[in-house]
Amino acid sequence: EEMKAEVIHWWTSGGEAAAVKVFADQFTKAGGTWIDSAVAGAANARNAAISRTVSGNPPTAMQLNTGKQFDELVEGDLLADVDTVATEGNWKSVMPQAFIAAATRKGKMYAVPVNIHGQNWLWYNKAVLTSIGAAEPKTWDDAFAVLDKLKVDGKVIPLAFSGQKNWEQNLFSAVLIGVGGGPMWVGIMGKRDAALARSAEFKAVAVAYKKLKNYVDAGAPGRNWNDATSLVIQGKAGMQIMGDWAKGEFVAAGKVADKDYGCTVLSNHGGGYMMGGDVFVFPKSKDAATTKAQMTLAKLMLAPETQIQFALKKGSIPVRSDVDSSALDACAQKGMRYVADKAQQLPSVDMLAAPALVGAVQDAISQYWNTDMSADEFSAKVAAVLKAQD
Amino acid sequence: MQRANVDIRSLRIGFGGLKVLDNLNLHVEASEFLVLLGPSGCGKSTLLNAIAGLIDVKSGEIHIGGRDVTWAEPKDRGIAMVFQSYALYPRMTVRKNMSFGLQVAGTPQDEIGRRLGEAAQMLRLTELLDRRPFELSGGQRQRVAIGRALVRHAGVYLFDEPLSNLDAQLRAELRVEIKRLHARLGATMIYVTHDQIEALTLADRIAVMQGGVIQQLDTPKMIYRAPVNRFVASFVGSPAMNFIPGSIARDGGAAFVAGTSRFSLNGYVFRGPPTDAPAVLGIRPEHVEVTASDDPFAVPARVEMVEPMGADSLIWCRLADGTAFSLRHDADAPLRAGDTLALRFPPETLSLFDDKSGQRL
Amino acid sequence: MQRANVDIRSLRIGFGGLKVLDNLNLHVEASEFLVLLGPSGCGKSTLLNAIAGLIDVKSGEIHIGGRDVTWAEPKDRGIAMVFQSYALYPRMTVRKNMSFGLQVAGTPQDEIGRRLGEAAQMLRLTELLDRRPFELSGGQRQRVAIGRALVRHAGVYLFDEPLSNLDAQLRAELRVEIKRLHARLGATMIYVTHDQIEALTLADRIAVMQGGVIQQLDTPKMIYRAPVNRFVASFVGSPAMNFIPGSIARDGGAAFVAGTSRFSLNGYVFRGPPTDAPAVLGIRPEHVEVTASDDPFAVPARVEMVEPMGADSLIWCRLADGTAFSLRHDADAPLRAGDTLALRFPPETLSLFDDKSGQRL
Amino acid sequence: MRLSLSSRLSVVLALLPALMVMIVVYIGATGWTVWMSLTNSRMLPNNNFVGLRQYESLFGNDRWITSVHNVVIYGVLFVSLALAVGFLLAVAIDQRVRAEDTIRSIYLYPYSMSFVVTGLVWQWLLNPSLGIQHVLRSWGFAGATFDWIVRPERAIYCLVVAGVWQASGLVMAIMLAGLRGIDDEIWKAARIDGLPKWRVYASIVIPMMGASFATAAVLLSTAVVRLYDLSVAMTNGGPGIASEVPAKFVMDHLFERANIGLATAAATTMLVTVIAVVAPYLYWRARKGDIR
Amino acid sequence: MTVLAEPLPAARRRRARMTPARWGLYAFILISALYFLLPLYVMVVTSLKPMAEIRQGNLLALPVSPSIDAWVTAWASACTGLTCQGIKVGFFNSVRILLPSVFISILVGSLTGYALSLWRVRGASILFGAMMVVAFIPYQLFIYPLVRVFAFTGLGQSLLTIVIIHTIFGLPTMTLLFRNYFTSLPPELFKAARVDGAGFYQIYARIMMPMATPMIVVAVILQTTGIWNDFILGLVFAGRDNLPMTVQLNNIVNSTQGERAYNVDMAATLLTALLPLLVYFGSGRWFVRGIAAGAVKG
Ligand SMILES: Nc1ncnc2c1ncn2[C@@H]1O[C@H](COP(=O)(O)OP(=O)(O)OP(=O)(O)O)[C@@H](O)[C@H]1O
Ligand SMILES: Nc1ncnc2c1ncn2[C@@H]1O[C@H](COP(=O)(O)OP(=O)(O)OP(=O)(O)O)[C@@H](O)[C@H]1O
Ligand SMILES: [Mg+2]
Ligand SMILES: [Mg+2]
């Protein structure tokens, strides 16, 4: 019988689509038919996929963010597990622990993590930094010094920023990890430690975060992230904190890593690489052919060759540590090195918290960033949010 | 079902809290032409709509041709209706407008054609059959509306002010046409109007209504000559009847005294024994006679204004005591404002009304 | 600016390609009551609007009170105007409707109050001053519209079919009121109507229009009695004039021959020397006389239908050769369809028209 | 009007779809919504009754409070401005201008475009470093400042600018129809009275156009309550939560934030508010005999 | 009484071609037209610029090297996921959804409006009032329960489902429009048809609907814009074989990560709006007339 896989995902832009094509091609090679259902916008795609799943007409596979998003699907017994395939492929030994945890429910793996996105990268325009005689910053303190210099210099926007809620949150996460450190990150977002949110250390993080607003231009609110990246590319801005998908814009503009632009992760505590990514889950089906297609998909998505091809196109890094990374660019290789280091591995916010909490914290951060709310008020607010979400 | 009579028994109709008709009884003979006449809002259309089955009655019965149709659908009552606003179907040709009802009823094509041809010819519509309503003048539209009713071969035709949207000349023309139609078809017709000329020229009998009550149901002549109350007297006739307040005096032959003027009532047919009481005298402008000034019953009056109306003129006068009234006179008479006339009020043409109740004396 | 005359010289008006008025001349005397009478679409409103300054003229001049106002703003022409649809400002009280124009013009409050009081009293509107238009009956609305014109103290009042939306009774009432107003104010009035009763009763002179051309400008009496052409003859008068085609025969005294009937023309005033030519004879229903059957000039006719109209009846007859016509007769005459009458057509009341041109002979 | 059995059957048959939709969809779905708002449903609906806890957290939620606040500001400004602009446009077009059809279509076209992208364009135009302010400064007006979209206390007004842009064409069409319905003789009477044009509009025409204003206001009001894509496309609720609106609150929590309980609580609150406003209006109209 | 002392300037032409007021009027029209056209202008120029030019950030500047590549890409080759065929793929889906949805929603709405306005049925005012309320509710709220309802009925996601969905959500507005329109007709027409013996559906189909043309035009315009621009309902209910054009548009425009080609976005948007725009420009005159006919009488 013919193997068909209808896959709902939100990878619709050129680079993303090319990456999906890697999966599709592999699946075709394996004798299946890939039916592509791309819907832009994670919320839209999830909405469509989940609607179909609950109405009994599910896709073969659907994309989700690595994290808590499929908790209820598993509870509702709507997903097929991929434990058998995982065991066969010995995934647990080649994947970062956080990712295995994020895909496992009730002791079984229910999702296939397919990539790792580093979300707290600092991108900077080498020419601009050179022009003021600054070197690549390593810590947030370095970074503030560079930003100050850029500001005094006055020729460019020190920090390119896209003032949308999720990027405000992303920047905050980067500061929280970089200034507050990994344990605080996990404590706040993962363990929902309200007391920690009221601590002086957390308030220091908040102050640092808010300080960044001094280096941002007036046009930032509402700006798309890629327009902010574009400012860095054109030398209109010095640097930007953004996930590694920003690389796509540099590449599209013909820029070369380590030559035209640099990338690094800032930390005052010697490291902390915030890893997010995407998973595919497989709605339960009574149809044997479908199940077969699902397992085939799961298997080939994690095949080393697929992984490296996919990462190349997507700009992410492979979820397996045992692949040959030589084809990847300098920044990606840097990422691979971070991932290889257990001490550096930090889960992204989606992996730590359920969407409702992520959203509530996001609102608080956004309010803090955009109003004259004090750090004290902010920490109280975050504490309250953490407490309310159980 | 031709020549059906219409019988309305204790009809009650209201809208919400408003009572429009209250215990109305009316019998219309088969082949009769009955006109419902009355001021705006008196319930004429309501009554007609009730007969047609277009509004719900509260209580009472409606019989048409002997059948109780109080709760029958409009189409099952053997009636046809013509509306004031024509109510032609705007998107259909004249032909379609007229044949629609028959088609709906499943009448065979050749029968439809026959009736259509007949009606079209009768109403001189043959040329217009393929036009649409907006391509017709007002008079033509109304003829089509009548035609649409005609083809139904109904026993009772209901007309709701069919002519009041037309100008004077057309109105006169179509009036004649309707009258001819009635003579020819011999169907029962109930015709609503508030134009008394129409009522007087068309009706076998007129029902004058006010406030949902039939005030007088009688032949046009009686309605015109012997109105039963002041309302009927004032509503019917144009130019309107003159009213002169005063009182009846029975000293030396009945007479009517208004201020210093005195009118003989010799020859007036009282309905009951007359009493010396305040009353109102009514006389139509055309009944006032100009007489020689030495006539013993003459009353002097001064001309105030002359309104020539073509065939004759309307003369506005005042009596010595200031009472104003009008009289109709030959257009050729060389009368001018300021002239003084001697007038006679022929007693047989007068109407006398009780001052309070307004009932005819 | 009272008692202004109006002088219209070679007026040309068109809409796009359509010529509505072409080289029209008209002189209206100060204090005159001129009625523009004509069928729908003949350009009456266009002319009135041009006088008011509401539409642009193509060429020609308009003088009011001796001043050339061809290009003056409406408000500066010393005119006031009353419209068919009343055109009251719907959300304003009667008081506001009447005073708004004066207020905007900056007239002092006490002067406004004075004029308002005067007009309201004249039109019996005092009670209604605080009502809004929708709370008024049609007749009251039209009185307010007249009031709004009155307070302007204009020299010329223009009326565009002010009464045609009203029912017969109200129409008669307001007609009298306007006539009185004219007598009292002595202002010039130009009044558009297509109702000939109004025209005849109100006008000092009537201008009968057709197709943008004034056909006859004369006193009501002359228009009624001696129409200059068939159009005027047929348009004025209701019930309409009868037309009998035939020819003039001058063998043994002028006479009119129609089929087998022969009417004497002794006493008819010809405009030019008569010729033996096809012609049309016109006679108004009220001029046909019923006479003894041995009258040498009597023509026999058969009664076809009797229309009682209250004061009198309209009798529809046919001559022996089938020509149909109507006559007006006393309502009391005991005539019935089928009766035969002997009729006389008094020559002095006749009108004769050329068969082709329709001009009076 | 007495109806025969077959007529009555026909009426019922014709109203059946509406009735079904009403009962199954609207009443059913509304009931479901209200029930969900009493549970702690997250991504998938569940039946864990939690009483009014969702409402408690709703009214303790800054973003919701801001949303409600915003929709009131937006509603008042948007409805009144769209009415005013639409009316003025209609008046302008009504002056027998040339190329009337073209101009009318220019005013109307925004209504045909979804905000998915026009929102982005507005965002650019209003952005100080990209749009109008930038252009003005590059033309030499150094002091020109138009940065409302990046100022939290002003951002909501930017939504009004774009909302008015989209809707006033529709209002114009409605108003134009109303204006064309005004009797020519009223205009003539006013000219004879010597009234200046603005005065005629102000004192006579506007009071006469109650019906047109009402129609437009109803349509605009429904758009206010449903306001969603404009906020998403232009500011995505920002800066911060400065331009959040209730419908977006519902949507975000329904899908992206997988918090059905809270979303339905917000929706229920909206529904109750709408009923509280619309029902008396309907009742009043019914009393006037307008609705039979 | 007004006596004009000074003679009037007799030769002054009253309505000279351009008075100051007229200038003001045209200025107002021009400025407002600019306000309305500005976004369109930005979209058009942006769609004609290469990305490099767009990155310069000169919104209003005319393209230095204009090209229609973006349009071609948007129409024929922009990728939305794996299918790189531009938005043209969805075009026919949209048309397939649009036609029956517009037709059926107007049919049901007009029938409901007709029944509610001319036939006095008990509870009509309640039904109508409820619909008025519903017109205010954000329809997104109904998505989830409706998904369940359609799953239950076995219709799932299909063309039929999306047509029904559009009919459901169009019902309140359509009913409102047609009810108000039919109420405004002279009641005699209905009475005449009743006397003629026409039944419920005969009166509807042969008398009322032919008369409602202006209203139908308005309804068509409103529904066409609404349904054509719909995205979320199509996505959830249409089924993957029937996804409307707006899904592709959204895919092109709303990519979360990865580069964004604004010129293609703009071209795609303009292409998508083409059909409703045509409907508007083609029927502007009718639109005004129809709206007037359906106005709520206050
Ligand atoms: N549908 C209705 N709802 C409420 N009241 C009504 C309705 N129809 C008529 N009426 C009232 O009933 C009374 C009688 O109305 P009807 O239409 O019968 O008057 P009419 O004699 O025909 O008047 P007209 O000469 O103006 O046509 C009036 O007071 C009117 O306001
Ligand atoms: N604004 C206009 N545009 C084009 N044609 C017009 C306009 N106004 C009037 N007309 C035409 O000019 C002619 C004269 O119209 P006018 O209104 O003066 O007639 P009228 O004599 O007043 O008729 P009625 O008795 O019907 O009022 C008609 O044929 C009419 O169609
Ligand atoms: Mg009536
Ligand atoms: Mg006219």
Side-chain angles (χ1 to χ4, degrees), chain A residues 26-109:
Chain A
Q26 293 293 340
F27 186 62
T28 313
K29 240 186 255 169
T33 310
W34 173 281
I35 302 169
D36 193 62
S37 289
V39 179
N44 290 327
R46 277 201 298 272
N47 181 11
I50 291 169
S51 298
R52 286 185 47 186
T53 306
V54 294
S55 75
N57 175 28
T60 315
M62 59 171 143
Q63 181 193 0
L64 291 174
N65 286 119
T66 309
K68 304 257 179 206
Q69 286 168 350
F70 53 92
D71 284 5
E72 288 179 61
L73 293 176
V74 174
E75 269 167 41
D77 199 21
L78 291 165
L79 294 186
D81 69 79
V82 291
D83 223 42
T84 328
V85 184
T87 318
E88 272 173 26
N90 200 17
W91 293 1
K92 288 178 189 169
S93 63
V94 295
M95 239 187 252
Q97 180 53 37
F99 278 71
I100 297 167
T104 307
R105 298 287 183 282
K106 300 187 229 165
K108 284 183 176 173
M109 271 187 98

Side-chain angles (χ1 to χ4, degrees), chain A residues 143-315:
Chain A
F144 278 116
V146 174
L147 287 168
D148 279 332
K149 259 190 175 170
L150 283 170
K151 191 166 182 181
V152 170
D153 187 48
K155 290 205 190 64
V156 300
I157 304 162
L159 182 65
F161 185 62
S162 45
Q164 297 175 352
K165 278 197 201 64
N166 48 335
W167 305 129
E168 285 161 0
Q169 182 173 30
N170 197 54
L171 181 62
F172 180 78
S173 301
V175 176
L176 181 51
I177 289 170
V179 177
M184 181 185 277
W185 169 243
V186 176
I188 297 274
M189 294 310 299
K191 304 202 178 109
R192 300 197 289 277
D193 184 346
L196 190 53
R198 279 192 224 94
S199 67
E201 289 78 14
F202 183 78
K203 284 176 194 165
V205 169
V207 170
Y209 173 61
K210 192 72 173 273
K211 191 175 165 199
L212 286 171
K213 208 173 173 191
N214 299 326
Y215 308 106
V216 161
D217 68 314
R223 181 183 284 149
N224 284 321
W225 67 267
N226 56 315
D227 292 328
T229 308
S230 178
L231 292 174
V232 177
I233 294 173
Q234 293 176 63
K236 287 181 181 170
M239 54 179 81
Q240 181 191 18
I241 302 280
M242 186 47 60
D244 48 19
W245 47 84
K247 220 162 43 189
E249 295 284 316
F250 285 99
V251 172
K255 305 291 177 191
V256 179
D258 259 353
K259 185 163 150 267
D260 301 310
Y261 65 96
C263 50
T264 182
V265 172
L266 297 175
S267 174
N268 296 355
H269 303 275
Y273 186 63
M274 179 165 59
M275 303 178 301
D278 303 281
V279 299
F280 277 88
V281 297
F282 305 95
K284 236 183 195 157
S285 167
K286 290 196 190 79
D287 179 21
T290 307
T291 313
K292 185 170 163 235
Q294 290 174 331
M295 294 312 130
T296 312
L297 264 180
K299 194 167 168 183
L300 63 84
M301 276 173 170
L302 226 64
E305 180 54 16
T306 323
Q307 276 289 305
I308 197 75
Q309 286 302 323
F310 182 86
L312 270 174
K313 299 271 163 44
K314 183 75 172 68

Side-chain angles (χ1 to χ4, degrees), chain A residues 6 9-17 20-21 24 34-41 44 47-48 51-52 54-55 57 117 224-227 230 234 236 245 249 314, chain E residues 51-52 55-57 79-84 143-144 147-148 150-151 156-157 231-232 235-236 239-240 243 247 250-262:
Chain A
E6 191 208 339
H9 60 90
W10 58 80
W11 285 322
T12 54
S13 71
E16 292 168 344
V20 172
K21 194 156 186 308
W34 173 281
I35 302 169
D36 193 62
S37 289
V39 179
N44 290 327
N47 181 11
S51 298
R52 286 185 47 186
V54 294
S55 75
N57 175 28
H117 273 301
N224 284 321
W225 67 267
N226 56 315
D227 292 328
S230 178
Q234 293 176 63
K236 287 181 181 170
W245 47 84
E249 295 284 316
K314 183 75 172 68
Chain E
M51 273 312 287
R55 287 206 191 88
Q56 301 299 314
C79 293
T80 70
L82 279 189
T83 35
C84 289
I143 289 177
Y144 197 88
V147 164
R148 301 301 287 262
F150 279 96
Q157 283 100 4
F231 157 66
I232 193 82
L235 179 63
V236 174
R240 70 168 310 279
L243 291 180
V247 172
N250 175 69
N251 285 352
I252 291 172
V253 169
N254 275 350
S255 307
T256 28
Q257 301 165 352
E259 72 285 342
R260 294 186 60 170
Y262 289 127

Side-chain angles (χ1 to χ4, degrees), chain C residues 40-41 43-46 84 160-161 192, chain D residues 185:
Chain C
S40 196
K44 308 180 295 290
S45 301
T46 305
Q84 173 173 2
D160 194 354
E161 314 204 15
V192 165
Chain D
E185 293 199 334

Side-chain angles (χ1 to χ4, degrees), chain B residues 43-61:
Chain B
K44 306 179 298 288
S45 301
T46 306
L47 177 55
L48 212 65
N49 279 316
I51 298 173
L54 293 169
I55 48 177
D56 277 349
V57 312
K58 272 231 176 83
S59 70
E61 289 176 9

Side-chain angles (χ1 to χ4, degrees), chain D residues 35-104:
Chain D
W35 167 243
M36 279 301 120
S37 74
L38 302 175
T39 69
N40 69 351
S41 301
R42 296 281 165 157
M43 188 168 83
L44 297 177
N46 65 34
N47 289 328
N48 303 335
F49 184 77
V50 294
L52 293 177
R53 239 187 53 196
Q54 300 289 5
Y55 291 89
E56 228 173 90
S57 73
L58 180 68
F59 285 98
N61 188 317
D62 284 346
R63 177 169 160 184
W64 171 251
I65 305 293
T66 309
S67 298
V68 171
H69 190 70
N70 279 340
V71 86
V72 171
I73 296 180
Y74 177 86
V76 170
L77 285 176
F78 167 74
V79 172
S80 47
L81 279 176
L83 285 178
V85 173
F87 179 74
L88 285 178
L89 295 177
V91 166
I93 284 194
D94 200 33
Q95 308 301 313
R96 292 162 205 273
V97 294
R98 269 167 230 214
E100 183 190 311
D101 276 6
T102 314
I103 295 173
R104 201 175 45 208

Side-chain angles (χ1 to χ4, degrees), chain E residues 32-74:
Chain E
S32 51
L34 282 182
Y35 168 56
F36 283 95
L37 285 176
L38 189 61
L40 186 64
Y41 169 80
V42 171
M43 290 174 75
V44 172
V45 284
T46 307
S47 74
L48 296 174
K49 289 176 185 170
M51 273 312 287
E53 256 181 70
I54 296 173
R55 287 206 191 88
Q56 301 299 314
N58 262 339
L59 270 194
L60 300 187
L62 283 170
V64 179
S65 46
S67 101
I68 59 160
D69 290 352
W71 286 74
V72 177
T73 309

